[in-house]
Amino acid sequence: MSNVTKSNTLLTRVFAICMSFIFIGSFFSYGAKAAEASPQFKVIAFYNGTWDAAHISFVNEANRRFPEFASRYNFSYESTNDWSKLNTSNLSQYQVVIFLDDVPPAAQRPAFEQYMRNGGGWLGFHVSAFTTNPSSWNWYYNEFLGSGAFRSNTWFPTPATLRLENSTHPATSNMPATFKTPASEWYSWSVDLRTKPNIDILYSVDPVSFPLGTDPNQSWYSGYYPIVWSNKNYKMMYANMGHNDMNYANNTAKSYTFSDETQNKLIINALLWMGGGQQPSTSFSVPGTIEAENYSSMSGVQTQNTTDTGGGLNVGWIDPGDWVNYPVNVASSNTYKVSYRVASPNGGGTIQAENGTTGQVFGSAQVPATGGWQTWTTISHDVNLSAGEQLLKLSFPSGGFNLNWIKVEEKTPSIRIEAENYIESNGVQKQDTTDVGGGQNVGWIDPGDWMTYSTPTPLSPGTYTISYRVASPNGSQIQFERAGGGAIFGTITVPATGGWQTWTTISHDVVLSSTEQQIALSFPTLGGLNVNWFTITKK
């Protein structure tokens, strides 16, 4: 993320608008994040991107989101505003063509028609079906789409609840009976698509949506309105969404077409069907690491290249109220450590982990100042997760940071060992303790004494926090080592606590380079302390 955020000054916005016109006036190709394997299929998208801020916003959003989908589902994506590339030779490379906001000039239309008749795939959005003169391209508007001419639209852009019409189509076989879309302007048509035998209506407006629109003169109050459909003679799908809700005063988006994971699933299903691709696992395994850009849905954020270790993309432009969702499959009900890789010039950001379905808050972490948008550090907090598939939502009550990845690790329970439960010892004795919990402690510790223990399970290599419950009138020292000698893992100073039964807890970190199970506490130079218990916790 740069120093420019969505909430910056008018000067920043003027600069952003100027940059958008530079973008519009020239060819720009979006490359998908390289996949480890060869892409399953290739997609090329065509756009105009020069009229209506809502359509331009959608094009820019699509050209951010489709490369992310391509990375996750292993296909390649590129886009261009050079419609001359819609020619027979060039199209032979691609399995799917997308029209984002327009139709091709007359010279390119025969090549596209032949491409579709030969089995190519096509996905069209919103304006790609708009016309007031369907005879200008009879095959496309009247046969291929079947919708004829534009008849009316809703205004202002609003969400709609869509009702499933065909659950057997490859694009809808795993889709819900209804879902609510992000805000869009909706079109109706001069032709009733139900009268067209080759048209396969997939989703229509559910009557619970009425009235649809907020302008009384441009709202729908009843009727039948197809929104997503296919043509049985072609490998195609048209989706009427693709008009972001805008603040036209400053041309900033108030909604995003790809912010809903259910709608995204429909689009991805269609692409995989057209391209002949395989559907990968739709959820991330927990424990595991999730690249932040691989969200299933989001609000407000954008992605950019990162200079953090490993490269790729990070999520940025995070403002208060933004969020991202990740479908996860949790291996077992347990306490987990959630780590976030973050960068922030000034700090003050907050990441809140939630259940995206129920709204249950699992926990949160504060983002510190790291010194720059690409100066990275890792923060963490603990969460309690139930086993099974669920939606992990990260919401951002405060922003101003970048996020590269999320790592969820099963938190290893602490191993607690009562000091008196040694296997072997030298010089020490046991006595009753007045510490919390009662029982016994180990005392009469002199220089050269030691105790050995066997942990319930082997300690794998890694960093561990060792905590000791100690009492000492004058202070002392403990050495944590391998039983029988050969490796000293760490030494900690015991402070003066004020008495033999005045207790405190002290801790230090040790690194185990090999698996250990037989460990020892030794006192090579100092005695004069009591030990009640100690814990071993993997970090």
Side-chain angles (χ1 to χ4, degrees), residues 356-370:
T357 303
T358 67
Q360 176 189 358
V361 176
F362 297 130
S364 62
Q366 302 301 309
V367 178
T370 65

Side-chain angles (χ1 to χ4, degrees), residues 300-425:
V301 304
Q302 299 181 39
T303 61
Q304 65 178 158
N305 292 329
T306 181
T307 61
D308 194 16
T309 303
L313 300 174
N314 66 250
V315 168
W317 287 271
I318 298 172
D319 290 332
D322 290 349
W323 52 264
V324 287
N325 278 339
Y326 304 93
V328 297
N329 190 355
V330 181
S332 61
S333 299
N334 216 322
T335 300
Y336 292 85
K337 175 184 175 182
V338 183
S339 300
Y340 309 98
R341 188 68 168 169
V342 296
S344 177
N346 303 309
T350 303
I351 303 175
Q352 183 167 285
E354 307 172 5
N355 183 304
T357 303
T358 67
Q360 176 189 358
V361 176
F362 297 130
S364 62
Q366 302 301 309
V367 178
T370 65
W373 293 112
Q374 292 294 325
T375 304
W376 297 91
T377 193
T378 304
I379 60 175
S380 63
H381 64 101
D382 293 346
V383 301
N384 293 314
L385 299 177
S386 300
E389 294 196 352
Q390 54 202 275
L391 190 64
L392 175 63
K393 179 178 182 179
L394 302 183
S395 63
F396 310 114
S398 52
F401 61 96
N402 289 343
L403 177 64
N404 191 11
W405 47 254
I406 306 102
K407 185 176 184 180
V408 187
E409 305 169 273
E410 189 171 345
K411 191 172 176 65
T412 305
S414 294
I415 298 171
R416 175 169 166 144
I417 299 176
E418 297 295 329
E420 68 272 18
N421 292 337
Y422 47 75
I423 299 171
E424 294 183 286
S425 68

Side-chain angles (χ1 to χ4, degrees), residues 43-86:
V43 177
I44 185 168
F46 292 88
Y47 64 92
N48 186 314
T50 59
W51 62 285
D52 195 325
H55 301 162
I56 295 171
S57 172
F58 167 73
V59 167
N60 292 342
E61 181 193 3
N63 282 328
R64 290 193 305 268
R65 295 307 310 276
F66 275 115
E68 296 166 10
F69 297 151
S71 175
R72 183 170 180 185
Y73 293 93
N74 192 28
F75 61 89
S76 72
Y77 175 83
E78 61 183 276
S79 67
T80 179
N81 58 6
D82 182 359
W83 288 88
S84 70
K85 292 181 179 292
L86 193 72

Side-chain angles (χ1 to χ4, degrees), residues 8 23 58 67 127 140 165 242 255 297 319 358 381 415 434 451:
N8 264 23
F23 160 82
F58 167 73
V127 195
Y140 179 79
E165 298 282 358
S255 73
S297 58
D319 290 332
T358 67
H381 64 101
I415 298 171
T434 62
M451 299 93 76

Side-chain angles (χ1 to χ4, degrees), residues 64-340:
R64 290 193 305 268
R65 295 307 310 276
F66 275 115
E68 296 166 10
F69 297 151
S71 175
R72 183 170 180 185
Y73 293 93
N74 192 28
F75 61 89
S76 72
Y77 175 83
E78 61 183 276
S79 67
T80 179
N81 58 6
D82 182 359
W83 288 88
S84 70
K85 292 181 179 292
L86 193 72
N87 62 69
T88 302
S89 175
N90 192 51
L91 289 179
S92 65
Q93 309 176 60
Y94 302 95
Q95 286 70 50
V96 183
V97 170
I98 299 176
F99 291 174
L100 292 175
D101 69 339
D102 208 347
V103 296
Q108 274 66 53
R109 294 175 183 180
F112 174 70
E113 181 177 344
Q114 189 61 48
Y115 171 81
M116 294 307 302
R117 292 187 185 279
N118 289 341
W122 177 82
L123 176 63
F125 291 96
H126 198 56
V127 195
S128 64
F130 178 91
T131 186
T132 56
N133 181 21
S135 62
S136 64
W137 192 4
N138 184 66
W139 169 81
Y140 179 79
Y141 293 112
N142 291 321
E143 178 188 328
F144 181 66
L145 285 169
S147 49
F150 164 84
R151 185 181 67 182
S152 69
N153 64 284
T154 63
W155 199 254
F156 286 80
T158 53
T161 298
L162 301 188
R163 180 178 61 194
L164 182 63
E165 298 282 358
N166 182 358
S167 62
T168 64
H169 191 277
T172 59
S173 60
N174 58 357
M175 292 293 293
T178 61
F179 75 93
K180 190 173 184 178
T181 72
S184 187
E185 174 194 32
W186 306 103
Y187 292 160
S188 68
W189 312 98
S190 62
V191 175
D192 184 346
L193 290 173
R194 293 172 293 183
T195 67
K196 306 282 284 190
N198 292 329
I199 296 300
D200 191 356
I201 300 171
L202 305 182
Y203 272 99
S204 63
V205 173
D206 190 290
V208 299
S209 301
F210 298 133
L212 193 56
T214 57
D215 179 347
N217 296 318
Q218 297 184 83
S219 294
W220 296 341
Y221 297 91
S222 63
Y224 183 81
Y225 300 94
I227 298 297
V228 182
W229 66 84
S230 185
N231 187 316
K232 297 174 185 177
N233 294 332
Y234 301 94
K235 197 179 286 186
M236 61 82 78
M237 189 179 85
Y238 170 74
N240 190 222
M241 55 281 295
H243 180 114
N244 290 344
D245 190 16
M246 300 295 293
N247 180 342
Y248 281 100
N250 53 23
N251 285 342
T252 57
K254 297 161 60 180
S255 73
Y256 293 92
T257 298
F258 297 96
S259 63
D260 180 77
E261 62 182 296
T262 303
Q263 185 166 284
N264 291 348
K265 184 178 181 180
L266 174 66
I267 293 166
I268 291 164
N269 285 348
L271 287 175
L272 294 175
W273 162 58
M274 295 171 195
Q278 297 296 312
Q279 182 83 252
S281 172
T282 57
S283 60
F284 297 100
S285 296
V286 168
T289 300
I290 304 169
E291 295 295 329
E293 70 273 15
N294 287 338
Y295 43 75
S296 59
S297 58
M298 64 83 187
S299 177
V301 304
Q302 299 181 39
T303 61
Q304 65 178 158
N305 292 329
T306 181
T307 61
D308 194 16
T309 303
L313 300 174
N314 66 250
V315 168
W317 287 271
I318 298 172
D319 290 332
D322 290 349
W323 52 264
V324 287
N325 278 339
Y326 304 93
V328 297
N329 190 355
V330 181
S332 61
S333 299
N334 216 322
T335 300
Y336 292 85
K337 175 184 175 182
V338 183
S339 300
Y340 309 98

